[in-house]
Amino acid sequence: MKTRTLKKDKVNIITLGCSKNMVDSEVLSGQLKANDIDVVHENAKRDHNIVVVNTCGFIDKAKEESINTILDQVELKNRGRLDKVFVTGCLSERYRGDLEKEIPGVDAWFGTMELPLILKKFDADYKAELVGERLLSTPSHYAYLKISEGCNRTCAFCAIPLMRGQHVSKPIEQLVAEAEKLVKSGVKEIMLIAQELTYYGLDLYKQRRLADLLNALADVKGLEWIRLHYAYPTKFPLEILDVMRERDNICKYLDMPLQHIADPMLKAMKRQITRREIFDLVQTIREKVPGICLRTTLIAGFPGETEEDVEDVKRFLEEVRFDRVGVFTYSHEENTSAYDLEDNIPAEEKERRAQDIMETQQEISLEKNQEKVGKVFKVIVDKKESGRYLGRTEFDSVEVDNEVIINTDRKLKPGDFVQVKITKAFDYDLEGELV
């Protein structure tokens, strides 16, 4: 008599949204793997029978992408291609009640902090001793390190505190141990992320401790690059600049989202800073860390924004000349304080304003890139594509910044550091040859 053998579960994790979500997915996959459950990220083979969708609920476009992805997976389940669909992350945290009614094909919904509950669905135990153990979804030579969760800021446009809660810092010792594990696994570059870095330590140590954390991480042997993302400009802890200048393995790179420049908009957005204070802060940062690359993001089309406000942003960009700029269009989010304001700028006009600002930055970016021609830079190799190697300088983060096209006959591999002489400059990329 033949007995039917039960096929072992294989879980595919689909991650949407930001790098903080990516880290959450990596932690979940590490826990599943430790419980002897087969798990993969973004499985192209489609040989899995369970899907976990880690959603983003930040702005309209992200919410739409998350819902479409969930619907696609439920359709596969309805066609017998999947056994179960689970949903976690920010969208699920924020709209769980509504979504349960609207998409009944999902087997279970989880919030942003319910990892042990997800594991229970797999008859798996949460293993506390696995802190820092992750199954990386990034290439093996770089990883994100989330130093805190949540946010205590009250920016008018932002729904993140609704989905992620109040700011909670991870202890320095835990982060150092996590970094050491990452380096042992082959990671050479770590990108520090949080809803905002500069608040780090206030809840845990009753004082800002980002500088201490940076010094501790810089001591980790084998860690070649440490990169800072998402620093809040108000009450910026200037002591971190001394550490950045003094420690060779901390990239001269700072991602500091400003969101706007015009004073009326900064006030309406509840950013607790003025145009003049931003200007002075940028000057101080550049004086203390010569050659630093400054990245910022801006919002176009916030309620009440005028053409003069947009022109003010463009003038500021021309005056201050940031190295990297990203522009988002305003998304009217319920339960934020800005939701009480009239969303009075049409979507097409928001897009036009964002494009207008980016065209100003495009010229600045090209000019700054042209200044690099003839100079030699240390470059990390990320991948080979269409027969050419692509890498980044210390002034460029993954996916959002410039790439360096490397011309060489030498065989390189991801994670290699090479010296590249820049021979050509484009709007957002560089080209060069090995020295």
Side-chain angles (χ1 to χ4, degrees):
M1 178 180 165
K2 287 185 181 175
T3 55
R4 184 169 172 265
T5 54
L6 286 173
K7 187 182 166 193
K8 191 181 175 191
D9 286 337
K10 183 170 185 178
V11 182
N12 179 33
I13 301 177
I14 299 172
T15 307
L16 304 166
C18 66
S19 49
K20 294 179 281 292
N21 257 16
M22 188 188 294
V23 171
D24 291 344
S25 290
E26 291 173 350
V27 171
L28 168 60
S29 58
Q31 289 280 342
L32 289 171
K33 191 180 176 193
N35 279 278
D36 200 28
I37 294 165
D38 200 0
V39 58
V40 284
H41 293 284
E42 316 280 346
N43 186 22
K45 288 184 186 172
R46 292 184 176 268
D47 59 348
H48 52 270
N49 66 317
I50 298 174
V51 163
V52 178
V53 183
N54 189 356
T55 57
C56 179
F58 184 45
I59 56 175
D60 287 341
K61 286 177 186 170
K63 287 187 270 192
E64 191 179 323
E65 183 189 19
S66 291
I67 287 167
N68 288 339
T69 303
I70 296 164
L71 291 172
D72 288 346
Q73 299 308 310
V74 168
E75 176 60 24
L76 287 172
K77 180 188 161 190
N78 291 341
R79 283 166 31 202
R81 299 278 301 279
L82 292 172
D83 294 333
K84 288 181 180 172
V85 175
F86 299 125
V87 179
T88 184
C90 291
L91 189 82
S92 184
E93 175 78 35
R94 196 171 173 195
Y95 301 108
R96 187 183 326 198
D98 295 333
L99 291 166
E100 281 174 339
K101 293 189 201 101
E102 289 177 31
I103 315 178
V106 170
D107 293 274
W109 302 82
F110 303 95
T112 53
M113 302 300 204
E114 296 183 327
L115 174 60
L117 294 180
I118 301 175
L119 293 170
K120 270 189 180 168
K121 287 288 177 184
F122 296 92
D123 294 323
D125 297 319
Y126 176 71
K127 298 181 186 291
E129 71 275 13
L130 285 180
V131 166
E133 291 285 348
R134 290 151 50 186
L135 190 61
L136 291 184
S137 55
T138 55
S140 59
H141 62 284
Y142 66 80
Y144 295 95
L145 184 65
K146 184 154 58 165
I147 69 168
S148 64
E149 189 58 84
C151 187
N152 285 17
R153 305 293 183 182
T154 55
C155 303
F157 51 83
C158 186
I160 284 174
L162 302 173
M163 299 179 282
R164 291 277 175 179
Q166 293 290 288
H167 182 102
V168 181
S169 303
K170 289 186 186 177
I172 290 175
E173 304 75 33
Q174 183 183 324
L175 291 166
V176 169
E178 198 170 330
E180 286 170 345
K181 282 179 184 174
L182 288 168
V183 170
K184 274 181 191 159
S185 75
V187 168
K188 297 181 180 179
E189 175 185 14
I190 281 176
M191 285 156 276
L192 301 192
I193 55 170
Q195 306 307 333
E196 72 107 330
L197 293 178
T198 55
Y199 202 88
Y200 177 79
L202 264 175
D203 57 314
L204 202 56
Y205 305 109
K206 309 306 173 210
Q207 58 180 318
R208 293 172 192 261
R209 294 284 301 273
L210 184 57
D212 294 336
L213 173 63
L214 288 175
N215 263 321
L217 290 172
D219 286 337
V220 174
K221 286 189 170 47
L223 184 50
E224 297 240 10
W225 278 0
I226 301 165
R227 189 179 299 283
L228 277 68
H229 277 284
Y230 319 128
Y232 194 83
T234 307
K235 294 182 180 171
F236 185 89
L238 295 174
E239 63 273 13
I240 71 169
L241 300 173
D242 298 324
V243 184
M244 290 178 80
R245 185 182 64 248
E246 290 159 11
R247 303 303 298 256
D248 289 341
N249 57 349
I250 299 178
C251 295
K252 289 184 169 60
Y253 177 100
L254 184 65
D255 183 347
M256 185 170 67
L258 297 173
Q259 314 305 5
H260 219 286
I261 296 303
D263 279 327
M265 288 294 96
L266 289 169
K267 188 175 181 183
M269 289 178 171
K270 300 184 178 175
R271 293 292 286 171
Q272 303 171 309
I273 198 167
T274 64
R275 185 188 201 280
R276 181 76 227 178
E277 286 167 339
I278 290 172
F279 181 85
D280 291 344
L281 176 59
V282 170
Q283 295 294 98
T284 301
I285 291 170
R286 284 178 167 162
E287 282 165 16
K288 283 186 168 280
V289 188
I292 192 170
C293 169
L294 285 176
R295 173 178 180 81
T296 195
T297 46
L298 302 162
I299 295 171
F302 187 84
E305 184 186 65
T306 65
E307 284 289 354
E308 178 51 36
D309 294 330
V310 178
E311 290 303 312
D312 197 7
V313 171
K314 288 159 63 181
R315 280 193 298 271
F316 193 86
L317 290 182
E318 284 165 350
E319 188 179 1
V320 171
R321 296 172 68 80
F322 287 103
D323 301 85
R324 316 274 181 260
V325 175
V327 184
F328 296 92
T329 55
Y330 170 73
S331 178
H332 206 46
E333 297 295 313
E334 57 264 77
N335 299 320
T336 62
S337 59
Y339 198 67
D340 297 334
L341 306 172
E342 186 190 350
D343 188 15
N344 61 347
I345 299 165
E348 308 79 52
E349 176 61 14
K350 290 176 186 174
E351 290 289 353
R352 187 196 67 75
R353 292 181 184 187
Q355 191 58 37
D356 198 18
I357 294 166
M358 278 311 299
E359 280 172 14
T360 300
Q361 179 59 27
Q362 192 171 352
E363 287 181 32
I364 295 166
S365 180
L366 177 60
E367 287 164 12
K368 281 187 165 269
N369 279 352
Q370 285 169 334
E371 291 166 9
K372 293 182 170 70
V373 173
K375 294 178 181 172
V376 176
F377 294 92
K378 180 181 177 181
V379 170
I380 191 168
V381 178
D382 277 332
K383 59 190 170 186
K384 189 175 187 180
E385 201 171 85
S386 306
R388 300 188 299 182
Y389 292 102
L390 298 177
R392 291 171 292 111
T393 68
E394 72 172 291
F395 310 114
D396 300 288
S397 197
V398 175
E399 292 179 354
V400 292
D401 294 327
N402 292 357
E403 286 184 316
V404 180
I405 301 158
I406 307 165
N407 295 315
T408 181
D409 294 328
R410 255 175 63 191
K411 190 167 174 55
L412 304 175
K413 61 182 189 299
D416 282 350
F417 283 95
V418 290
Q419 295 292 320
V420 178
K421 184 177 183 180
I422 304 304
T423 54
K424 278 187 197 170
F426 307 98
D427 290 344
Y428 296 114
D429 291 315
L430 299 164
E431 190 171 330
E433 54 197 28
L434 283 196
V435 174

